[in-house]
Amino acid sequence: MIFRLGDFRFPDSAARLYPDTPERPWVLEVGFGDGRFWPHHAATFPEAPNYLGVEISGTSLLKAHRRLKDAGLHNAILTKMPADVLVREVVPHAGLDLIVVNFPDPWPKAGHTDHRLLRAPFFRLAASRLKPGGALLLTTDHDEYFQFALDEAQASGVMQATPGGPPAAALETKYALKWRDLGLGAHHARFTPTLTLHAPVPHGDAQPYPEEPHAVPHAILTLPPTFAPTDFEKYTRRSERGAQWTVVLLDLYGRLRGGGWVALAHVVEGELTQEVLIGITLREDGSTLVRLAKFGGPIITAGVKATVGVVTEWLEGQGATVTHRGY
Ligand SMILES: C[S@@+](CC[C@H](N)C(=O)[O-])C[C@H]1O[C@@H](n2cnc3c(N)ncnc32)[C@H](O)[C@@H]1O
């Protein structure tokens, strides 16, 4: 099953995601590529564990979805987003039995190591999402990244590494076969949380799109009688304290039905980016409602609330008078 970000809860639970098999172990695979690992690995268990797979490539998502469906793996959820966002916002504390990372992108160029997944902050996050006795398994062909991950795990202060042999299924992935054909081997390590007590890494502030209309981020305002935008200049706002969010208003579209406009915005909060639509709707009482649209399955974050504020602010700049701010 494919889940969009807005289909999850923040945090979510195995009981909600796998209602038929909540008691089974829970495995997360990061960067599953074309999905070859899981059918092989799941077959080594008497009953397939619950599976959550995260990828940033949409093409891989579709290929893996077909493969898991053909393998009859019904308790498997695939999603397209950066792994960091899923683990931070969706995975509950002490929720997972296993995190699997096979052949992560090595980002080999000098100055690009910040793009690597397995840095100390991710190890801290992973440690706080693993159950006691849980582990993160890394298999990679890349000598330098392997040593880098061992060093970062140690620097995290919460993970210890035990190098060893990879699970057989990790040597059946697309990249494993590619490196094997070139005569290259693979490194493997099992990272387990240390017994030292450490504070769990908190979840963010994400919320699902609310059921109740009044809880959706919105504003009410009165537009000047002359308001009829013929031009819209793309513009950017950043949060003032630190760089928590950046909102780029990209465009404004006139609605053919019902009157009003729709603003398209790009919202960036760390690894999380969302494209959202903000409706600007003319109401019968003469007021105008500015509200986050449900289209596209947005989740509510500080940046998304701020986007409603940025659109409202832009309308104020065009002469609107705000009577209510609900964001
Ligand atoms: C080198 S490929 C390995 C794919 C697969 N594991 C295999 O062994 O064939 C790395 C994969 O990680 C995915 N990826 C990279 N960064 C990611 C991130 N932050 N979150 C989720 N997936 C990511 C890439 O899209 C790519 O499919």
Side-chain angles (χ1 to χ4, degrees):
M1 211 184 314
I2 294 178
F3 267 47
R4 293 182 307 174
L5 182 56
D7 295 326
F8 289 106
R9 297 291 171 271
F10 309 98
D12 220 315
S13 67
R16 198 189 76 88
L17 294 172
Y18 311 98
D20 299 333
T21 55
E23 74 297 339
R24 293 195 194 171
W26 191 5
V27 178
L28 167 71
E29 184 181 1
V30 175
F32 50 73
D34 66 4
R36 294 183 207 200
F37 171 77
W38 190 238
H40 278 101
H41 198 59
T44 65
F45 295 80
E47 290 178 318
N50 294 325
Y51 175 83
L52 181 59
V54 63
E55 243 304 330
I56 49 170
S57 154
T59 312
S60 297
L61 180 82
L62 296 179
K63 285 185 184 165
H65 184 239
R66 185 162 313 140
R67 200 181 291 276
L68 269 51
K69 213 170 153 202
D70 290 348
L73 291 162
H74 302 299
N75 55 339
I77 293 173
L78 301 178
T79 193
K80 177 180 170 305
M81 69 181 85
D84 175 84
V85 173
L86 181 83
V87 180
R88 184 180 303 277
E89 303 286 346
V90 174
V91 175
H93 291 304
L96 297 167
D97 293 83
L98 202 60
I99 301 174
V100 180
V101 187
N102 293 323
F103 301 92
D105 289 334
W107 293 98
K109 286 191 192 155
H112 283 191
T113 52
D114 279 1
H115 297 295
R116 288 180 174 169
L117 176 76
L118 296 175
R119 287 174 290 124
F122 188 80
F123 278 115
R124 284 188 209 106
L125 182 59
S128 83
R129 301 299 191 261
L130 285 167
K131 289 178 191 162
L136 182 152
L137 306 185
L138 166 67
T139 304
T140 176
D141 59 292
H142 201 272
D143 303 348
E144 197 264 315
Y145 190 2
F146 186 63
Q147 188 55 51
F148 176 88
L150 295 176
D151 294 344
E152 289 289 302
Q154 190 170 20
S156 77
V158 299
M159 283 282 208
Q160 60 197 22
T162 314
L171 300 179
E172 300 297 334
T173 71
K174 181 175 167 187
Y175 275 79
L177 299 180
K178 188 167 153 178
W179 302 126
R180 194 197 298 168
D181 287 350
L182 292 172
L184 300 171
H187 300 282
H188 178 80
R190 182 182 182 87
F191 297 88
T192 46
T194 53
L195 293 178
T196 24
L197 279 181
H198 43 82
V201 177
H203 299 284
D205 60 354
Q207 300 288 329
Y209 192 89
E211 302 275 330
E212 310 80 32
H214 70 270
V216 178
H218 68 283
I220 298 170
L221 45 80
T222 308
L223 291 173
T226 53
F227 184 76
T230 51
D231 193 15
F232 179 85
E233 211 169 292
K234 168 178 150 177
Y235 75 104
T236 303
R237 289 276 180 280
R238 289 194 172 77
S239 57
E240 278 156 24
R241 279 170 289 123
Q244 290 116 4
W245 52 259
T246 301
V247 173
V248 187
L249 289 190
L250 292 167
D251 215 337
L252 188 73
Y253 306 98
R255 290 169 53 172
L256 293 179
R257 224 158 37 95
W261 298 265
V262 176
L264 171 65
H266 183 75
V267 193
V268 183
E269 295 165 271
E271 298 266 318
L272 175 64
T273 59
Q274 299 191 76
E275 308 285 348
V276 299
L277 293 178
I278 310 293
I280 303 165
T281 308
L282 307 176
R283 303 202 299 182
E284 279 180 4
D285 65 2
S287 68
T288 296
L289 175 67
V290 177
R291 190 167 68 177
L292 175 71
K294 195 172 185 181
F295 183 83
I299 59 165
I300 313 296
T301 57
V304 166
K305 289 181 192 167
T307 306
V308 176
V310 172
V311 172
T312 304
E313 181 191 298
W314 176 76
L315 289 166
E316 280 182 291
Q318 307 292 308
T321 310
V322 178
T323 52
H324 173 75
R325 293 177 203 270
Y327 51 83

